[in-house]
Amino acid sequence: MSPTNSQILRGKIELVRPRLRQAAGEVWHHPRLAELFPDLLATIHSVIRATVPTLKTAEQCARARAAEDPVCAGMVEYLAAHALEEKDHDEWTLGDLEKLGVKREDAWQRIPSGAAAALVGVQYYWMHHVHPVAYLSYQAVMENPPSPEFLEQAIERTGLPREAFATQFFHATVDPHHVAEFDQLVDSLPLNAWHHSILGVNAFQSVDLLARVYEDLLKRFEMSHPDAASAYLVP
Amino acid sequence: MAAKTNVEQLQKAGIIPAKHNLTLGDQAKVNTLTEHEVAALISARQKLGDALIKKTAKGGKFPHPDSFSY
């Protein structure tokens, strides 16, 4: 049986996801995660503040081509609905930061890493100047739910308040449903080899840039905490 | 001369270190990639072989998040 569209896409991402897992692991298993965690949430916020705007842009780009392009036509409703589902998640993350004593205005004042800007910025290029289908590989890379068990361990390990993990727990609960919906959408689209190639190229690039976002976060933390040597705690 | 496979091209570029063997399944996946996808891997300098090995070595009972779950 031939693999489905979503299986093809996820198979490609799995080839490169180990690098991402390693970069993320350096952060999540850092011996000083309690101190690093506010920076992690601020970094997450620097990226997900663009989620609804990018979803809306993808929808607009797809809608503009929908009359002549069945792939675009197949994406429009999903993107519009998903933009509503993702509404305010960035605000929730700011709420989590407040539980750690970080003011909202301070989070907004923080200058994002160049990798975060590039990760989001390239999505606009693909959508506007190549094809909106590219956005789906970014989404497949980004929407990979955390496990509630791991989050429980992180709370225990750091001693941080559970409320600071509220948005993470929400994603752990809801995102598996989002992933199923996403796969259903991708499998319904009449993708050809050209579309698959675009999805693959953007997936590889997005994984690389997201890994760099984690690496930049760690470098920044270690520069501001010279005594915090990078020491990955093997689980 | 026969054209190089994707795996061979990625080995030559150092993306798949010669000393590490990909599983047959991963080799098959890699060999279905288009030239543009192979170029993207080379451009990002992603080490497939190294990374796959690290995944095995550093997996936990409960996997840590690796994305932002937007």
Side-chain angles (χ1 to χ4, degrees):
Chain A
M1 203 165 92
S2 299
T4 63
N5 290 338
S6 61
Q7 287 169 339
I8 293 170
L9 175 58
R10 294 196 184 283
K12 289 175 185 173
I13 293 171
E14 282 309 306
L15 285 172
V16 292
R17 197 177 277 284
R19 178 179 173 217
L20 183 53
R21 287 197 54 71
Q22 188 190 0
E26 298 277 357
V27 172
W28 278 103
H29 294 285
H30 196 282
R32 292 171 68 172
L33 178 61
E35 293 164 84
L36 180 56
F37 192 64
D39 291 345
L40 173 59
L41 287 186
T43 298
I44 290 172
H45 178 257
S46 75
V47 172
I48 68 168
R49 68 179 68 161
T51 298
V52 172
T54 52
L55 277 164
K56 285 184 174 174
T57 301
E59 180 208 339
Q60 288 159 7
C61 291
R63 195 180 292 282
R65 298 184 184 198
E68 298 89 31
D69 185 327
V71 172
C72 286
M75 293 169 59
V76 172
E77 279 189 30
Y78 169 84
L79 292 166
H82 200 55
L84 289 175
E85 288 174 343
E86 298 295 336
K87 189 171 179 295
D88 293 336
H89 291 191
D90 53 335
E91 283 295 315
W92 299 352
T93 303
L94 291 177
D96 294 349
L97 273 166
E98 282 186 319
K99 302 292 189 302
L100 298 170
V102 179
K103 292 178 184 168
R104 286 169 183 255
E105 54 267 34
D106 290 344
W108 277 107
Q109 277 296 309
R110 183 189 160 106
I111 297 175
S113 78
L119 173 64
V120 173
V122 296
Q123 308 312 322
Y124 288 101
Y125 177 86
W126 284 109
M127 291 187 282
H128 278 296
H129 307 297
V130 185
H131 195 283
V133 76
Y135 187 77
L136 299 179
S137 50
Y138 173 70
Q139 198 174 341
V141 168
M142 298 300 287
E143 202 152 48
N144 192 35
S147 84
E149 295 85 356
F150 180 83
L151 296 174
E152 293 289 353
Q153 286 181 343
I155 291 171
E156 192 177 339
R157 189 154 46 92
T158 59
L160 294 174
R162 172 177 295 275
E163 293 76 19
F165 291 79
T167 307
Q168 297 294 312
F169 273 110
F170 175 84
H171 284 299
T173 309
V174 171
D175 283 6
H177 176 61
H178 284 178
V179 170
E181 279 181 346
F182 174 85
D183 285 354
Q184 200 175 0
L185 166 79
V186 174
D187 292 341
S188 74
L189 298 175
L191 302 181
N192 61 28
W194 186 76
H195 298 117
H196 276 293
S197 192
I198 289 171
L199 284 165
V201 170
N202 192 34
F204 295 153
Q205 188 177 28
S206 295
V207 165
D208 178 49
L209 288 168
L210 182 54
R212 290 192 206 181
V213 171
Y214 281 109
E215 289 159 4
D216 286 354
L217 162 64
L218 209 50
K219 277 180 206 152
R220 187 186 290 202
F221 179 76
E222 288 171 359
M223 282 170 68
S224 59
H225 300 76
D227 55 331
S230 176
Y232 185 93
L233 295 182
V234 178
Chain B
M1 199 168 92
K4 282 196 163 90
T5 65
N6 288 345
V7 169
E8 288 168 336
Q9 286 188 65
L10 290 169
Q11 282 174 334
K12 188 179 175 193
I15 304 303
I16 301 173
K19 62 180 178 178
H20 299 313
N21 291 322
L22 295 181
T23 64
L24 288 177
D26 282 336
Q27 282 184 45
K29 259 190 247 174
V30 169
N31 280 332
T32 63
L33 299 178
T34 64
E35 62 184 299
H36 304 288
E37 290 169 320
V38 172
L41 286 173
I42 292 171
S43 170
R45 298 182 303 282
Q46 307 222 26
K47 295 278 193 285
L48 295 183
D50 269 349
L52 289 171
I53 285 164
K54 282 172 184 164
K55 175 175 69 170
T56 308
K58 292 185 176 174
K61 185 178 177 190
F62 302 117
H64 58 258
D66 63 8
S67 73
F68 292 167
S69 287
Y70 81 163

